[in-house]
Amino acid sequence: HWPTSFRPASTRSGNGFAMNSLTLDRKQIYAQYKTLLLDDVVPFWLQYAIDWKYGGVLSCIRDDGSVISGDKFLWSQARSVWTFAALYNRVEKRPEFLAAAENSIRFLLEHGRDKNGRWIYHADQQGREIEGATSIYTDCFVVYGFSEYYRAVRDDNLLSVARDTLDRVCQRVDEPDFQETAPYPLPLGWKNHGIPMILTETLNEFILTTGDTRLEARLDDYVARIMDHFVRPDKKVLLEFLTTDYQELPPPAGTFVMPGHAIESMWFVLHVARRRGDQALIRRAAEVIRWHLELGWDPEYGGIYLSRDIEGHAPYLPHSDKKLWWPHVEALYATLLAHQLTDEPWCLEWYTRVNDWTWSHFPAPHGGDWIQRLTRVGKPTTEVIALPVKDPFHLPRGAMLILQLMQST
């Protein structure tokens, strides 16, 4: 059972801020997310997912921790490196956090690359390849995870692997035959928002780890691709797909929007803008967050839709009406971050709305990690959406970032 402070905001007097003035109660929010992280989410993953025998984490498990299969998606292994290393670096220096990160690093180094050095997508429990290098997101998460781990353990060999991977990714994504974006391969002649999005966050964090200012121009390029091309101010949306010369595609791909993806992307951009003190970019990115909260919110049942079509067509990908945990986690952090950086009242108004719906629908009755997938009306569903994957990433990362934000001024 959830403690009183975790009940839906409508049943509480607190909710992390005074309702009359919408002033943040940082201590209350900090306590809420630290309890969630260390008493529920992290123990869940340490109990059910760490594969000490073969290395890595079990990434195909149910919300109650039971195993669907031993298959391991490699981006989940890399994400787990980031999460456990970040727990060690940013929350508490517990040896079990570092051990879990190192267990996933071992699996990645022993089984993660093909004969050409590219990171594969999907292996069995023991590390035998099922699907090869079909998703460059795996490579990006490897860089992300190894970069975070390097902050704890100055392993120069691992950092070299990360740097080589990053250089190869940045070259590959602009080659004309690039399609490696599983689980949804990119059609030839298209560009997708996901590539500059993940490279914005990956590069910014790598620069913070290494201090390598030579990478700033590359980072500028990816931020510009998002803000000057995929963001369409005339439509007040961030489109997921464009042509290779950044023209709009016909429906349904050309009118397809994922509100949670856009919101997550914008806090990536806000991190860059915050580090640089770029107030104009902060204002632009915050406004894009606002657009997608307004577009993505279900006025009848509440919660954020997985996807929308801006012209009312059937969306390009299925499950558009589902409510998934990760867009809500990203929105909680993004609205708090946008508020800290802009002091705009709408940020707390939207945080309130998202917070109330999220905490009354996603926490599991048995505790532990949150329920991942809900129907439009907010009931749990076991339908597979994109992949049969549950991994330690969006919720623990969001909780950690909120903790850091509540500690900062």
Side-chain angles (χ1 to χ4, degrees), residues 154-207:
R154 299 286 175 170
D155 186 329
D156 290 329
N157 290 329
L158 209 61
L159 191 68
S160 178
V161 171
R163 188 183 294 276
D164 290 347
T165 299
L166 182 60
D167 288 342
R168 188 171 61 249
V169 167
C170 292
Q171 178 180 337
R172 177 62 185 145
V173 297
D174 285 332
E175 292 173 351
D177 62 341
F178 172 68
Q179 291 187 282
E180 299 94 70
T181 57
Y184 303 113
L186 190 65
L188 291 176
W190 292 18
K191 284 188 179 293
N192 73 348
H193 158 240
I195 294 300
M197 171 188 171
I198 194 170
L199 283 169
T200 293
E201 172 68 357
T202 301
L203 270 165
N204 192 54
E205 288 295 306
F206 197 78
I207 290 167

Side-chain angles (χ1 to χ4, degrees), residues 358-376:
T358 299
W359 280 89
S360 61
H361 287 82
F362 288 106
H366 48 74
D369 198 81
W370 281 359
I371 297 166
Q372 290 207 156
R373 299 176 293 271
L374 304 175
T375 64
R376 183 186 173 195

